[in-house]
Every structure is written in structure tokens, then in C-alpha cells.
């Protein structure tokens, strides 16, 4: 997605060979017009997958998920990182380790909002080692629902999360795939060019 | 806002005289079409206030904020409840006590995204005793920015948060104002009728 790549090039900050900071438009400050375009792109990609619900993880996954769900005319449910006293229902829970934050979080979704009849589109802001996405996949499986696909805003293609998910048979669509963050520079995977030169 | 009140009547669950659970469309599962309508309503209400940015608090404030910001064509920034290792910049922080969750959270925003030239529209999902909104107000004041207004999806008008904020001189617009949750029933403040019968 060109608009997203241009935004990453213009505003993303490479903090290390593994960390890209995009908090000016995705993780802290949010560009709602870009989120709308991202939502339209995911909806276009997954429109024939029979999606009944979008599942994401608070907080940075919420904006792109709501825009995608608006286009697909389905609800969103976001997994919570901590239990709330007002969430008293039965929960589906799993533990996710964040390498970025160096901590484990228990994430949970109310059973009421993940039903076995659902076809779930998982959306998240980043895919690196795949811990968060695998956690969400596990919750959908616990609910007995199907996974329609996995939509990722930014995939760090030099880490193995995407490989793991694709080897499990899931359709993973990433709107920007980063090949490397070496030398303080963002280098994208150029899929179209690779395919043309095959 | 009639559509919102109808949704609260149809799907809201009264857990006690103080707690209304709306996790089927706002706090856990999100109805994106309703969020779009909420965004349009807030944008209409605050369109002449010179808003340069929407400020909210993760996580339930994000969906209505992004939709409002899309209509107003301004960015959103969401205050975080915990510090992230990838947020290394100078932060504006304050402490907010949640009566619902019975805990204090330090909330923070990067100084970079709250500038003294900004006119901030604060959006949140609920207003009860006002702790979260007052925390956000305090952050805007620390940044030296102006407050364009405060938009609340659901105000518990039987608690004193709205009174506190209005007495401080802020324009508070709540899309649904709840007069009481007594007897397991949601009763709305009927402002229009009250004004007609004056």
C-alpha cells in the first residue's frame, strides 16, 4: 500500500535494527484518514472471505480494525490486556509475551463475542515474532470459530511471525512489509518487482 | 442522540445502580456504524470550535475519537495507561483513579503530540465522577494548549463529573445522559422535553 509506505518513510523513526517507531500516525497519535484508507484496503482484500467479525488487541489495533469493520459492515471485538471488573462474563483467555515491552500479558475476550459460527478476520498493527497474532489465533480456535484471514498494517518480514502464520495455513495480508531496518533505514520488501523478475 | 439511546435501551445491561454495561457495542465489542454516527454528531457539535486535535484515553475512547477526528480532518492522540519501552520521549503524565476498576493508573501523552498551539477536543466513552476527563484536562493544561470542548458518549448525570467540568467553564456535550439506573432500568435525562415545558 503506497500511501502507507510513504507515511512510514516520511515519519517512521528507526530506533534500532528491530524497532520502528510509528507513533505519529498509528501507535500513539493516529491519522484517521490513513486509517480509513487502511480499512478500505483490508476490506477489499478480504471481501470474499465471508468475514462476520474483526478481532484485534487493544490499543493500537483498534483504529485500523474499526475502519475495516465499517467497510465490511461487521462488528469489531478487541481483546483486553487486563480483566475489568465490569467484564464479569465467561472469558476466553491466553497469555502473550511482548518482546517490545518485555512482559507477559493475559489477554481475554468475552465468550459471548466469539461464537463458533463466526468467521474472524484478525487485524493488528504490527507483526514481528507473531506472539500477539498467535495469541489471537488461539482464542479463535478455543471458541471453535474459523479464521477468515489475518490483516497486518506493518510486517517486520525479517522476523519470523509471518512465516509461522503462513506455514499454519492462514492467509496473511500485510500492507507494508519491511525487509530490514539496518543502518537506520527502512527497506521494504518489493513483492511486485520480485514477481515481475521471476 | 436517538440512535445511541435506542442502542443503550436494547443492549445495555444495568449491573447495579451505578454500573451500566455496554460492551456489546462500545467497550469490548464495537459497532463501527454507530461509531461513525457518533463521530458525525461530535463533529457537528464542535465544528466551530477550531479543533486541531482529538485527545482520548485508551482503549474504549479510541473508536469514537477516530471517527470524530475523521470528520473534523484532524489527528487523534490517545493517552496511554502504561509507559511503553518504545515511547522514550518526554511525557506529560498524570494519575487517574478509576472507581470502576478500583485502581490508580498513570496516564501519559508524548509532549510532541500536545503543543501549546493546539485546541483540543477531549472525547471519552463514559463520564461518571469525572476522574478520567479531569486527568485529560490536566494534561492539556500542562501542555499549555486550549480545550475546545469535551465530548462524552454516555454521561451518568446522577454522578458529579459533568457538574465539575461545566463549573470549570468547559463545554461538555454528552450524546446520552443517564438520569438513573435504579430498579435495573435506564432512565435518560429528557432535556428537550424539559426545555419545552419551561
Amino acid at each position: 500500500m503506497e500511501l502507507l509506505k510513504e507515511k512510514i518513510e516520511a515519519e517512521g523513526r528507526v530506533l534500532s535494527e528491530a524497532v520502528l517507531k510509528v507513533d505519529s500516525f498509528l501507535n500513539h497519535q493516529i491519522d484517521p484518514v490513513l486509517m480509513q484508507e487502511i480499512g478500505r484496503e483490508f476490506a477489499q482484500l478480504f471481501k470474499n472471505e465471508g468475514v462476520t467479525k474483526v478481532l484485534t488487541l487493544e490499543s493500537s489495533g483498534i483504529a485500523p480494525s474499526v475502519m475495516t469493520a465499517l467497510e465490511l459492515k461487521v462488528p469489531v471485538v478487541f481483546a483486553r490486556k487486563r480483566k475489568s471488573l465490569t467484564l464479569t462474563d465467561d472469558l476466553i483467555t491466553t497469555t502473550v509475551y511482548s518482546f517490545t515491552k518485555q512482559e507477559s500479558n493475559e489477554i481475554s475476550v468475552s465468550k459471548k463475542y466469539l461464537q463458533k459460527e463466526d468467521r474472524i478476520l484478525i487485524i493488528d498493527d504490527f507483526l514481528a515474532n507473531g506472539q500477539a497474532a498467535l495469541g489471537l489465533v488461539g482464542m479463535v480456535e478455543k471458541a471453535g470459530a474459523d479464521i477468515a484471514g489475518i490483516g497486518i498494517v506493518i510486517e517486520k518480514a525479517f522476523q519470523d511471525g509471518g512465516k509461522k502464520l503462513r506455514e499454519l495455513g492462514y492467509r496473511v495480508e500485510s500492507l507494508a512489509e519491511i525487509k530490514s531496518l539496518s543502518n537506520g533505514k527502512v527497506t521494504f520488501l518489493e513483492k511486485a518487482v520480485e514477481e515481475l523478475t521471476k
Side-chain angles (χ1 to χ4, degrees), chain A:
Chain A
M1 186 183 169
E2 279 312 307
L3 184 66
L4 174 63
K5 289 183 186 173
E6 286 167 15
K7 193 83 170 176
I8 293 168
E9 284 183 334
E11 299 186 15
R13 286 191 291 152
V14 179
L15 297 191
S16 73
E17 295 221 336
V19 178
L20 172 68
K21 194 167 172 175
V22 289
D23 71 353
S24 71
F25 61 88
L26 182 59
N27 294 135
H28 183 30
Q29 184 165 260
I30 299 169
D31 177 340
V33 176
L34 179 65
M35 292 305 122
Q36 185 180 47
E37 292 301 320
I38 285 171
R40 286 174 178 164
E41 187 82 10
F42 281 136
Q44 182 64 27
L45 287 164
F46 292 104
K47 66 181 177 188
N48 297 323
E49 299 287 354
V51 175
T52 64
K53 195 169 285 192
V54 174
L55 173 66
T56 190
L57 182 59
E58 64 178 354
S59 290
S60 301
I62 294 175
S65 294
V66 170
M67 290 299 183
T68 305
L70 180 69
E71 294 292 323
L72 291 171
K73 297 281 178 284
V74 298
V76 177
V77 63
F78 64 89
R80 288 190 169 275
K81 288 181 183 161
R82 287 186 292 179
K83 288 172 192 167
S84 156
L85 289 188
T86 60
L87 286 172
T88 53
D89 292 328
D90 283 349
L91 298 173
I92 299 169
T93 61
T94 193
T95 302
V96 170
Y97 181 74
S98 165
F99 287 96
T100 315
K101 297 187 181 175
Q102 296 174 14
E103 63 182 18
S104 287
N105 278 298
E106 188 169 80
I107 67 171
S108 57
V109 167
S110 171
K111 282 183 185 168
K112 194 166 48 166
Y113 302 125
L114 274 188
Q115 303 271 333
K116 65 179 192 300
E117 298 77 17
D118 276 319
R119 280 187 59 78
I120 302 292
L121 173 60
I122 292 172
I123 300 268
D124 209 2
D125 57 336
F126 267 97
L127 175 63
N129 48 65
Q131 296 306 300
L134 287 164
L136 294 171
V137 163
M139 297 175 98
V140 176
E141 287 175 347
K142 278 186 192 176
D146 288 333
I147 291 170
I150 301 170
I152 300 293
V153 180
I154 302 175
E155 178 177 345
K156 292 176 184 169
F158 57 89
Q159 291 183 259
D160 67 350
K163 184 163 178 283
K164 284 181 209 163
L165 291 167
R166 290 178 181 103
E167 281 179 0
L168 287 168
Y170 299 117
R171 179 180 173 196
V172 182
E173 297 283 357
S174 302
L175 303 188
E177 290 176 283
I178 294 172
K179 188 176 168 183
S180 145
L181 294 172
S182 297
N183 305 316
K185 191 172 160 295
V186 179
T187 308
F188 294 104
L189 265 187
E190 297 294 345
K191 279 201 297 192
V193 173
E194 281 170 8
E195 276 158 25
L196 281 173
T197 56
K198 261 179 195 166

CSV table of all heavy atoms in Angstrom, one decimal, chain A residues 57-82:
chain,number,residue,atom,x,y,z
A,57,LEU,N,-6.5,-6.5,19.1
A,57,LEU,CA,-5.9,-6.4,20.5
A,57,LEU,C,-5.8,-4.9,20.8
A,57,LEU,O,-5.3,-4.2,20.0
A,57,LEU,CB,-4.6,-7.1,20.5
A,57,LEU,CG,-3.8,-7.2,21.8
A,57,LEU,CD1,-4.6,-8.0,22.9
A,57,LEU,CD2,-2.5,-7.9,21.5
A,58,GLU,N,-6.3,-4.6,22.1
A,58,GLU,CA,-6.1,-3.2,22.4
A,58,GLU,C,-4.6,-2.8,22.6
A,58,GLU,O,-3.8,-3.8,22.8
A,58,GLU,CB,-6.8,-2.9,23.8
A,58,GLU,CG,-6.2,-3.6,25.0
A,58,GLU,CD,-6.9,-3.2,26.3
A,58,GLU,OE1,-7.8,-2.3,26.3
A,58,GLU,OE2,-6.6,-3.9,27.3
A,59,SER,N,-4.1,-1.6,22.3
A,59,SER,CA,-4.9,-0.5,21.9
A,59,SER,C,-4.7,-0.1,20.4
A,59,SER,O,-5.6,0.4,19.8
A,59,SER,CB,-4.6,0.8,22.7
A,59,SER,OG,-5.0,0.6,24.0
A,60,SER,N,-3.5,-0.4,19.9
A,60,SER,CA,-3.1,0.2,18.6
A,60,SER,C,-3.9,-0.5,17.5
A,60,SER,O,-3.9,0.0,16.4
A,60,SER,CB,-1.6,0.1,18.4
A,60,SER,OG,-1.0,0.8,19.4
A,61,GLY,N,-4.4,-1.7,17.7
A,61,GLY,CA,-5.2,-2.4,16.7
A,61,GLY,C,-6.6,-1.9,16.5
A,61,GLY,O,-7.2,-2.2,15.4
A,62,ILE,N,-7.1,-1.1,17.4
A,62,ILE,CA,-8.5,-0.7,17.4
A,62,ILE,C,-8.8,0.2,16.2
A,62,ILE,O,-9.8,0.0,15.5
A,62,ILE,CB,-8.9,0.0,18.7
A,62,ILE,CG1,-8.8,-1.1,19.8
A,62,ILE,CG2,-10.3,0.6,18.6
A,62,ILE,CD1,-9.1,-0.5,21.2
A,63,ALA,N,-8.0,1.2,15.9
A,63,ALA,CA,-8.3,2.2,14.8
A,63,ALA,C,-8.4,1.5,13.5
A,63,ALA,O,-9.4,1.6,12.8
A,63,ALA,CB,-7.3,3.4,14.9
A,64,PRO,N,-7.3,0.8,13.0
A,64,PRO,CA,-7.5,0.1,11.7
A,64,PRO,C,-8.6,-0.9,11.7
A,64,PRO,O,-9.2,-1.1,10.7
A,64,PRO,CB,-6.1,-0.5,11.5
A,64,PRO,CG,-5.4,-0.5,12.8
A,64,PRO,CD,-6.0,0.6,13.6
A,65,SER,N,-8.9,-1.6,12.8
A,65,SER,CA,-9.9,-2.6,12.9
A,65,SER,C,-11.3,-2.0,12.7
A,65,SER,O,-12.2,-2.5,12.0
A,65,SER,CB,-9.9,-3.3,14.2
A,65,SER,OG,-8.7,-4.1,14.3
A,66,VAL,N,-11.5,-0.9,13.4
A,66,VAL,CA,-12.9,-0.2,13.3
A,66,VAL,C,-13.1,0.3,11.9
A,66,VAL,O,-14.2,0.1,11.4
A,66,VAL,CB,-13.0,0.9,14.3
A,66,VAL,CG1,-14.2,1.7,14.1
A,66,VAL,CG2,-13.0,0.4,15.7
A,67,MET,N,-12.1,0.8,11.2
A,67,MET,CA,-12.3,1.3,9.8
A,67,MET,C,-12.5,0.1,8.9
A,67,MET,O,-13.3,0.2,8.0
A,67,MET,CB,-11.0,2.1,9.4
A,67,MET,CG,-10.9,3.4,10.1
A,67,MET,SD,-12.4,4.5,9.8
A,67,MET,CE,-11.8,6.0,10.7
A,68,THR,N,-11.8,-1.0,9.1
A,68,THR,CA,-12.0,-2.2,8.3
A,68,THR,C,-13.4,-2.8,8.5
A,68,THR,O,-14.2,-3.1,7.5
A,68,THR,CB,-11.0,-3.3,8.7
A,68,THR,OG1,-9.7,-2.8,8.6
A,68,THR,CG2,-11.1,-4.5,7.8
A,69,ALA,N,-13.9,-2.8,9.8
A,69,ALA,CA,-15.2,-3.4,10.1
A,69,ALA,C,-16.3,-2.5,9.5
A,69,ALA,O,-17.4,-3.0,9.2
A,69,ALA,CB,-15.3,-3.5,11.6
A,70,LEU,N,-16.0,-1.2,9.5
A,70,LEU,CA,-17.0,-0.2,9.0
A,70,LEU,C,-17.3,-0.6,7.5
A,70,LEU,O,-18.4,-0.6,7.0
A,70,LEU,CB,-16.5,1.2,9.1
A,70,LEU,CG,-17.5,2.3,8.6
A,70,LEU,CD1,-18.7,2.4,9.4
A,70,LEU,CD2,-16.8,3.7,8.6
A,71,GLU,N,-16.2,-0.8,6.8
A,71,GLU,CA,-16.3,-1.1,5.3
A,71,GLU,C,-17.0,-2.5,5.1
A,71,GLU,O,-17.7,-2.6,4.2
A,71,GLU,CB,-14.9,-1.2,4.7
A,71,GLU,CG,-14.2,0.2,4.7
A,71,GLU,CD,-14.8,1.2,3.7
A,71,GLU,OE1,-15.3,0.8,2.7
A,71,GLU,OE2,-14.8,2.4,4.1
A,72,LEU,N,-16.6,-3.4,6.0
A,72,LEU,CA,-17.2,-4.8,5.8
A,72,LEU,C,-18.6,-4.9,6.5
A,72,LEU,O,-19.2,-6.0,6.3
A,72,LEU,CB,-16.3,-5.8,6.5
A,72,LEU,CG,-14.9,-6.1,5.7
A,72,LEU,CD1,-14.0,-6.9,6.6
A,72,LEU,CD2,-15.1,-6.7,4.4
A,73,LYS,N,-19.0,-3.9,7.2
A,73,LYS,CA,-20.3,-3.9,7.9
A,73,LYS,C,-20.4,-5.0,8.9
A,73,LYS,O,-21.5,-5.8,8.8
A,73,LYS,CB,-21.5,-3.8,6.9
A,73,LYS,CG,-21.5,-2.6,6.0
A,73,LYS,CD,-22.1,-1.4,6.7
A,73,LYS,CE,-22.1,-0.1,5.8
A,73,LYS,NZ,-20.7,0.5,5.7
A,74,VAL,N,-19.4,-5.2,9.7
A,74,VAL,CA,-19.4,-6.3,10.7
A,74,VAL,C,-18.9,-5.6,12.0
A,74,VAL,O,-18.3,-4.5,12.0
A,74,VAL,CB,-18.5,-7.5,10.4
A,74,VAL,CG1,-19.0,-8.2,9.1
A,74,VAL,CG2,-17.1,-7.1,10.2
A,75,PRO,N,-19.2,-6.2,13.2
A,75,PRO,CA,-18.6,-5.7,14.4
A,75,PRO,C,-17.1,-6.0,14.6
A,75,PRO,O,-16.6,-6.9,13.9
A,75,PRO,CB,-19.4,-6.4,15.5
A,75,PRO,CG,-20.4,-7.3,14.8
A,75,PRO,CD,-20.0,-7.4,13.4
A,76,VAL,N,-16.5,-5.2,15.5
A,76,VAL,CA,-15.2,-5.5,16.0
A,76,VAL,C,-15.3,-6.0,17.4
A,76,VAL,O,-16.1,-5.6,18.1
A,76,VAL,CB,-14.4,-4.2,16.0
A,76,VAL,CG1,-12.9,-4.4,16.6
A,76,VAL,CG2,-14.3,-3.5,14.7
A,77,VAL,N,-14.4,-6.9,17.8
A,77,VAL,CA,-14.2,-7.1,19.2
A,77,VAL,C,-12.7,-7.0,19.5
A,77,VAL,O,-11.9,-7.5,18.7
A,77,VAL,CB,-14.8,-8.5,19.7
A,77,VAL,CG1,-14.1,-9.7,19.0
A,77,VAL,CG2,-14.7,-8.6,21.2
A,78,PHE,N,-12.4,-6.3,20.6
A,78,PHE,CA,-10.9,-6.2,20.9
A,78,PHE,C,-10.6,-6.9,22.2
A,78,PHE,O,-11.4,-6.9,23.2
A,78,PHE,CB,-10.5,-4.7,21.0
A,78,PHE,CG,-11.1,-3.8,22.0
A,78,PHE,CD1,-10.5,-3.8,23.3
A,78,PHE,CD2,-12.2,-3.1,21.8
A,78,PHE,CE1,-11.0,-2.9,24.3
A,78,PHE,CE2,-12.7,-2.2,22.8
A,78,PHE,CZ,-12.1,-2.2,24.0
A,79,ALA,N,-9.6,-7.8,22.1
A,79,ALA,CA,-9.1,-8.5,23.3
A,79,ALA,C,-8.5,-7.5,24.2
A,79,ALA,O,-7.8,-6.5,23.8
A,79,ALA,CB,-8.1,-9.5,22.9
A,80,ARG,N,-8.8,-7.7,25.5
A,80,ARG,CA,-8.3,-6.8,26.6
A,80,ARG,C,-7.1,-7.4,27.2
A,80,ARG,O,-7.0,-8.6,27.3
A,80,ARG,CB,-9.4,-6.6,27.6
A,80,ARG,CG,-10.5,-5.7,27.2
A,80,ARG,CD,-11.4,-5.4,28.4
A,80,ARG,NE,-12.3,-4.3,28.0
A,80,ARG,CZ,-12.1,-3.0,28.0
A,80,ARG,NH1,-10.9,-2.6,28.4
A,80,ARG,NH2,-13.0,-2.1,27.7
A,81,LYS,N,-6.2,-6.5,27.6
A,81,LYS,CA,-4.9,-7.0,28.2
A,81,LYS,C,-5.1,-7.2,29.7
A,81,LYS,O,-4.2,-7.8,30.3
A,81,LYS,CB,-3.8,-6.0,28.0
A,81,LYS,CG,-3.3,-6.0,26.5
A,81,LYS,CD,-2.2,-5.1,26.2
A,81,LYS,CE,-1.9,-5.1,24.7
A,81,LYS,NZ,-1.1,-4.0,24.3
A,82,ARG,N,-6.1,-6.6,30.3
A,82,ARG,CA,-6.3,-6.9,31.7
A,82,ARG,C,-7.8,-7.1,32.0
A,82,ARG,O,-8.6,-6.5,31.2
A,82,ARG,CB,-5.8,-5.7,32.6
A,82,ARG,CG,-4.3,-5.7,32.7
A,82,ARG,CD,-3.9,-4.6,33.6
A,82,ARG,NE,-4.2,-3.3,33.1
A,82,ARG,CZ,-3.9,-2.2,33.7
A,82,ARG,NH1,-3.4,-2.2,35.0
A,82,ARG,NH2,-4.2,-1.0,33.2
